[in-house]
Amino acid sequence: MNKNLFTKLFTLLIGVSFTAHLAAQNLVPNNSLENNSACPSGFGQLGNANDWFSPTDGNPDYFNTCVAGSGTVGIPANLFGDQDAAEGNAYAGFYAYGANNLREYVSVALSDTLTPGEQYCISFKVSRADFTYQAVENIGLYFSANPINTINGSQHLGLTPQVVNQNGIITNDQGWTTITGIYTATDTMRYITIGNFNSNANTNVTTVAFVPGVSGPFINEGYYYLDDVKVEKLPPLTIAVAPINDTFICEGETVTLVASGNGDSYQWATIFDPFTVLGTDDSLTITPDFSTSYIVTVVNGDCERTDTIDIEVLPQPTVSFSASSACVGNIVYFTDNSSNVSPDASYQWDFDNDGSIDATTGGGASTVFNTATTHQVKLTIVNNTACTTSAIIDVVVAATCDPCSQNANLVPNPSMEAFTDCPNGLGQVSFADGWFQPTEGTTDFFHACANGGDADVPNNQLGTQTAASGNGY
């Protein structure tokens, strides 16, 4: 059944876009066998239905409401049972099971060849005929580049169908069972063939209960009606992230996941809780507190697909720092007191808040002010090259200095707060800004930024000691 043409409007953070949703083109001509060259007058006349044929010397049947009366190939009543068409006024019928591997198949040439690498939604409907009592599971659809044309005594073909029934044994004789599958084309396939390709020994079969008072030649056979066959190309299914087009986001950041696929329906969930539905539109706006994998289920016609995306939430630094007392011409020391800082974070010190970067040391920095005034000092920390936070403090610089104050200290970075790199082992004193090893020895540098490593403060490889001042020594 064709879907109506409709238009969906959705708004993204990156703008507004329009998507026209069109029904997929069915590549199966005369897919419900409505068109025919003549009304069937008896059995074995599948060829009366335009485009359809038998690929073997079996004799599949063509049923149509144009046939008057019952007992032959009419609809709904016919020799094999009573069944309305799933679509329109016609359907085919074939043996899926019988003694000595009896089989019949139905084939049709598609209106276009499949494109290798593209996905296709396959669906067709079958119904077990009421007066046949062997029900089977192994009904499938086989793609081929060329038509199958063989004389095999109406035996099983022994091919491996690309789409097979996943509904278990099909006993339903009161309605239609839809067999579906998604096929990724491996070649320029043009023909489809439907039936049971397994031998009796390899067929999952069961005998259903007889209709009371009914007997006849079909007790040992399994016969199925066939209708509404579809092969539809699927649009690509992807998930995009708007507006940043990146799967790495910062704490507190809101993004929108946008699924493609021209689906008839969408359903969002997380991999960790797939049963809680988060949304049913083609987009989902999220503000995750932690890294999460999202899954979208998209339905196109009779087929269902899923895609996943991993959103990694990066820590947002909390920036805080302090300054020593300041006077003109002497060193002012800044101590970083920030938290939630990643090991690979970058530091940007702006001592005049004029937009220029004056230092890039972590843990702290130092500078000399030459004017007695209030200076605004800005520290910006960037986690994982993406998550940025800044803080500004006022530093009041006095005109004169107390010679006994720490500002008279001529040693830069005296408490080893500032570092060019956080130490990740011993022997790294040169990581402390301004300090170096004057001999061939391996002097160590310890700092709380090591966060549990060999050079951490207070616990490290050589013992336990808090810093006399700040976070380093």
Side-chain angles (χ1 to χ4, degrees):
M1 180 177 291
N2 291 328
K3 306 177 184 69
N4 293 328
L5 174 66
F6 68 91
T7 302
K8 285 195 303 185
L9 171 65
F10 64 92
T11 303
L12 303 179
L13 297 178
I14 55 175
V16 179
S17 62
F18 297 89
T19 300
H21 185 138
L22 298 174
Q25 178 189 1
N26 188 1
L27 300 181
V28 180
N30 194 21
N31 73 301
S32 58
L33 296 95
E34 303 304 308
N35 302 322
N36 59 68
S37 58
C39 185
S41 58
F43 302 109
Q45 296 181 1
L46 175 67
N48 284 19
N50 295 352
D51 303 301
W52 292 87
F53 63 93
S54 172
T56 71
D57 52 352
N59 294 294
D61 304 306
Y62 176 47
F63 301 86
N64 198 298
T65 57
C66 64
V67 177
S70 62
T72 54
V73 287
I75 291 178
N78 52 66
L79 180 67
F80 295 94
D82 190 295
Q83 182 61 61
D84 288 317
E87 182 81 9
N89 301 302
Y91 50 73
F94 62 93
Y95 281 108
Y97 187 87
N100 301 314
N101 295 314
L102 171 66
R103 300 289 186 274
E104 291 175 342
Y105 300 90
V106 293
S107 289
V108 68
L110 302 178
S111 60
D112 196 4
T113 56
L114 303 189
T115 301
E118 296 287 348
Q119 285 190 323
Y120 294 82
C121 176
I122 317 303
S123 69
F124 56 96
K125 294 180 173 67
V126 295
S127 178
R128 183 182 65 83
D130 305 63
F131 303 146
T132 64
Y133 298 103
Q134 302 304 312
V136 303
E137 176 180 8
N138 312 85
I139 296 176
L141 180 148
Y142 179 75
F143 284 98
S144 59
N146 299 302
I148 298 172
N149 185 8
T150 183
I151 297 176
N152 67 346
S154 299
Q155 301 291 293
H156 76 286
L157 284 173
L159 300 171
T160 302
Q162 294 89 343
V163 176
V164 293
N165 170 45
Q166 303 291 332
N167 301 296
I169 294 177
I170 303 174
T171 60
N172 182 19
D173 62 355
Q174 299 302 305
W176 294 87
T177 299
T178 302
I179 297 175
T180 65
I182 295 176
Y183 173 60
T184 301
T186 58
D187 201 349
T188 53
M189 305 297 191
R190 187 62 184 265
Y191 292 84
I192 60 172
T193 299
I194 297 173
N196 176 12
F197 296 85
N198 290 10
S199 66
N200 285 0
N202 292 315
T203 294
N204 192 10
V205 60
T206 189
T207 301
V208 297
F210 293 175
V211 175
V214 174
S215 63
F218 308 125
I219 292 177
N220 297 315
E221 282 76 42
Y223 188 91
Y224 286 83
Y225 303 124
L226 170 69
D227 201 359
D228 196 17
V229 184
K230 298 177 182 177
V231 176
E232 298 173 337
K233 185 177 179 179
L234 290 169
L237 174 57
T238 58
I239 302 176
V241 183
I244 59 175
N245 195 29
D246 195 345
T247 58
F248 293 89
I249 67 174
C250 301
E251 285 178 316
E253 189 171 4
T254 297
V255 295
T256 299
L257 308 180
V258 184
S260 63
N262 268 359
D264 301 320
S265 67
Y266 293 81
Q267 184 169 292
W268 295 89
T270 64
I271 293 235
F272 310 108
D273 185 11
F275 302 108
T276 298
V277 178
L278 302 179
T280 55
D281 294 325
D282 56 359
S283 62
L284 178 71
T285 299
I286 57 172
T287 310
D289 296 324
F290 49 84
S291 298
T292 306
S293 297
Y294 293 87
I295 181 170
V296 62
T297 301
V298 181
V299 175
N300 295 88
D302 294 314
C303 291
E304 181 178 286
R305 294 181 291 168
T306 61
D307 196 15
T308 60
I309 189 169
D310 299 326
I311 299 298
E312 184 171 347
V313 179
L314 305 176
Q316 189 78 40
T318 301
V319 178
S320 173
F321 66 103
S322 58
S324 64
S325 58
C327 60
V328 172
N330 278 304
I331 300 173
V332 180
Y333 302 101
F334 298 95
T335 301
D336 175 33
N337 305 310
S338 303
S339 59
N340 212 27
V341 178
S342 62
D344 61 348
S346 64
Y347 285 74
Q348 300 170 6
W349 296 89
D350 183 354
F351 298 133
D352 298 303
N353 193 23
D354 60 359
S356 62
I357 299 174
D358 300 309
T360 58
T361 53
S366 62
T367 190
V368 174
F369 293 107
N370 295 314
T371 57
T373 186
T374 298
H375 293 262
Q376 283 196 327
V377 178
K378 180 179 181 180
L379 171 59
T380 301
I381 299 178
V382 183
N383 274 351
N384 305 95
T385 71
C387 302
T388 302
T389 306
S390 299
I392 298 174
I393 66 172
D394 290 333
V395 178
V396 179
V397 179
T400 59
C401 298
D402 179 355
C404 295
S405 72
Q406 67 171 356
N407 298 82
N409 190 353
L410 300 180
V411 179
N413 196 19
S415 299
M416 298 187 179
E417 297 303 308
F419 55 83
T420 55
D421 291 290
C422 184
N424 54 26
L426 302 181
Q428 297 176 342
V429 70
S430 61
F431 286 7
D433 188 42
W435 293 87
F436 61 93
Q437 169 64 46
T439 69
E440 294 181 355
T442 54
T443 305
D444 307 312
F445 167 46
F446 301 91
H447 198 283
C449 68
N451 197 23
D454 291 342
D456 192 12
V457 172
N459 301 311
N460 52 64
Q461 185 175 338
L462 301 182
T464 300
Q465 180 61 60
T466 58
S469 173
N471 298 305
Y473 51 76

